[in-house]
Amino acid sequence: MPVTAAADSTIAALNAGHTTRKKTSSEEQSDRFLTLLVAQMKNQDPLSPLDNAQVTSQMAQVTTVQGIERLNDTMSSMLSQIQGMQAAGLAGREVLTTGNKLNIGDGLPARGGYQLPNGADAVTIEIRNAMGLVVATMPQGAKEPGMQTFQWDGTVDGKQLPAGRYTFSVAGTAAGKQLDVETYSVDAVVAVLPGATGVRLSMASGVTLAMDSIKAIL
């Protein structure tokens, strides 16, 4: 079979296999390459024909790109399935997520967390009510670097404050310098929601979060 006829047949076969779905980027590049190659073959100088070895090498490179893209798709699908299985185990569990909310009610203490980038000589937690007023101050003393948790029973000087939502901030110092402290809220996973863009978690607070929003499992 002539070279041009073989190339035409290759393009026809590719096109026939791609009519029922959207082409990937590598397939589109492959089609453009083959179209240009056929045009080059049809208009080549008979006295200086294309090097068959070079053409074969170029076509092998296109096939390799398509193979890598298919492998990436397979790996993405596998990772999504693994993530889904991991997320299923979180249903009903309490977790730490980025935030600074504290909930007082049901006779249970409010809990929160924070992350220290370095060891701290002193850490102080300030708790505010819905008006933004400081209602409680909780010195924590020296702390090691890393994830820390705390709880608050909702009382000040033995008096129980009203149930509801409060907020907190954390100030830490080391060698007289203020530390950058990230705060975490305690929330509970009530449902796992698989989707085209990945697994999402429905939380007791009413928000929906991605898996990577979970900082720790309690």
Side-chain angles (χ1 to χ4, degrees):
M1 179 184 294
V3 176
T4 55
D8 285 335
S9 298
T10 301
I11 292 178
L14 285 171
N15 289 336
H18 298 159
T19 54
T20 59
R21 63 179 176 85
K22 185 177 180 180
K23 296 180 180 179
T24 64
S25 59
S26 65
E27 289 171 342
E28 291 175 348
Q29 293 175 5
S30 175
D31 287 354
R32 286 196 295 269
F33 166 75
L34 291 174
T35 300
L36 292 173
L37 180 61
V38 170
Q40 188 177 6
M41 287 178 175
K42 289 181 177 179
N43 295 283
Q44 65 181 317
D45 184 353
L47 300 179
S48 182
L50 293 175
D51 186 348
N52 287 338
Q54 183 179 8
V55 172
T56 301
S57 175
Q58 291 175 344
M59 295 185 68
Q61 290 176 12
V62 172
T63 302
T64 299
V65 171
Q66 292 178 333
I68 292 175
E69 186 171 87
R70 286 194 293 269
L71 177 61
N72 288 338
D73 290 342
T74 300
M75 291 301 297
S76 295
S77 177
M78 290 178 60
L79 289 174
S80 179
Q81 293 177 8
I82 292 173
Q83 188 182 58
M85 289 187 290
Q86 292 174 334
L90 291 176
R93 300 289 299 274
E94 288 189 326
V95 297
L96 288 178
T97 65
T98 299
N100 66 338
K101 303 293 189 298
L102 292 174
N103 293 313
I104 291 296
D106 300 327
L108 299 175
R111 290 180 294 163
Y114 56 93
Q115 178 83 21
L116 292 175
N118 303 296
D121 300 327
V123 174
T124 301
I125 299 172
E126 288 188 342
I127 300 173
R128 292 174 172 80
N129 61 16
M131 302 294 292
L133 301 176
V134 176
V135 295
T137 301
M138 301 171 57
Q140 302 293 292
K143 292 291 183 180
E144 296 293 326
M147 182 82 70
Q148 310 287 337
T149 59
F150 69 93
Q151 64 180 29
W152 177 51
D153 61 5
T155 64
V156 177
D157 297 329
K159 181 180 179 180
Q160 181 70 49
L161 295 184
R165 176 165 291 185
Y166 294 76
T167 61
F168 71 96
S169 60
V170 180
T173 58
K177 295 182 179 180
Q178 290 289 330
L179 299 177
D180 184 17
V181 182
E182 185 177 6
T183 59
Y184 304 131
S185 297
V186 175
D187 208 342
V189 180
V190 296
V192 178
L193 311 172
T197 58
V199 176
R200 306 282 291 179
L201 302 174
S202 178
M203 313 300 294
S205 61
V207 301
T208 302
L209 301 175
M211 278 284 292
D212 57 8
S213 298
I214 304 302
K215 304 301 181 181
I217 303 172
L218 300 178

